[in-house]
Amino acid sequence: MNIKKNDTVIVLSGKSKGKKGKVITAMPKENKVIVEGVNVATCHVKARKQNDASGIIKREIPIRVDKVQLFCSKCGKGVRVGFNVDGDKKVRVCKKCGKEI
């Protein structure tokens, strides 16, 4: 999975198509990510303790990794990811412009 936590991604399909957001959580075993402000669901929460609040809460739910693409700030759009080796480090680069991500 080429997308990691704190990456900026753009959504390719679905009701949130075209939206940009920051990855909050990456779940590589399930091939899913949670993106800030994307795929928001309304959840009805019941108070479990006396001091807990109940009500309707909006929260981001996971979206599949193949529905998002890494956003390159130099290109200004979603790009595929390539890899380069700098000495003993492996770094991610933009396939279009070659900028390090």
Side-chain angles (χ1 to χ4, degrees):
M1 194 165 89
N2 297 327
I3 297 174
K4 299 178 180 177
K5 186 177 178 180
N6 294 326
D7 284 344
T8 303
V9 294
I10 189 164
V11 180
L12 299 175
S13 64
K15 64 183 178 184
S16 301
K17 182 178 180 179
K19 285 188 181 179
K20 282 192 297 184
K22 187 173 143 186
V23 175
I24 299 169
T25 309
M27 299 174 254
K29 287 187 179 179
E30 294 133 39
N31 277 334
K32 293 187 177 188
V33 289
I34 297 177
V35 183
E36 187 176 24
V38 174
N39 204 22
V40 178
T42 305
C43 300
H44 297 265
V45 178
K46 183 177 180 180
R48 296 294 175 191
K49 295 179 183 173
Q50 194 169 11
N51 295 337
D52 285 349
S54 62
I56 300 170
I57 296 174
K58 292 189 182 269
R59 71 168 87 152
E60 293 93 0
I61 57 174
I63 187 170
R64 291 188 39 189
V65 173
D66 58 353
K67 305 269 185 199
V68 297
Q69 199 170 34
L70 205 58
F71 184 79
C72 178
S73 57
K74 186 176 178 185
C75 298
K77 51 184 153 184
V79 293
R80 291 182 293 146
V81 180
F83 293 95
N84 281 343
V85 179
D86 286 340
D88 58 343
K89 275 186 163 182
K90 186 177 178 182
V91 293
R92 297 181 299 163
V93 294
C94 170
K95 280 276 196 174
K96 290 188 179 190
C97 64
K99 181 187 171 220
E100 187 176 316
I101 298 173

